[in-house]
Amino acid sequence: MSTVRIRDATSDDVSSITTLIHTLAAGMGETSPLTPAYVAVYLGTPSNSVLLAETGGEVVGLLSFSLRQNLFHAAGSAMIEEFIITETWRTQGVGRA
């Protein structure tokens, strides 16, 4: 397997993020109303984050999460919202990176 790099998404990644989320929805037999404009807003919201897995200059995975306060733990917590690895990179260890 090629080296996998995990990095924060930037506004330059809007198209890749949109494509990955549409792929995730299609894999569940659904569609997503996600647009590039919404991705840009999401990325601009301080409590939201997207991490991308990249290898050879290609985005091959995504993990999105939001940070929020949690009453039970009386502390901040992170909630994973979406996680996807492109089909050709599944079982290659990308999700463990």
Side-chain angles (χ1 to χ4, degrees):
M1 180 178 84
S2 301
T3 301
V4 176
R5 180 176 147 230
I6 305 298
R7 63 175 179 81
D8 290 315
T10 69
S11 58
D12 292 337
D13 298 308
V14 166
S15 178
S16 294
I17 293 167
T18 304
T19 298
L20 283 168
I21 296 299
H22 286 161
T23 300
L24 176 65
M28 297 185 297
E30 299 183 24
T31 59
S32 171
L34 185 67
T35 64
Y38 188 85
V39 173
V41 169
Y42 185 93
L43 291 175
T45 304
S47 61
N48 298 333
S49 292
V50 175
L51 297 175
L52 297 176
E54 185 178 65
T55 184
E58 175 188 4
V59 174
V60 297
L62 171 152
L63 179 124
S64 66
F65 63 96
S66 59
L67 302 174
R68 58 187 70 187
Q69 294 302 310
N70 181 287
L71 290 173
F72 182 82
H73 297 288
S77 64
M79 172 169 251
I80 295 174
E81 296 169 345
E82 288 87 24
F83 178 71
I84 182 171
I85 304 297
T86 58
E87 191 168 345
T88 56
W89 283 93
R90 291 179 193 157
T91 73
Q92 304 297 314
V94 173
R96 289 187 294 253

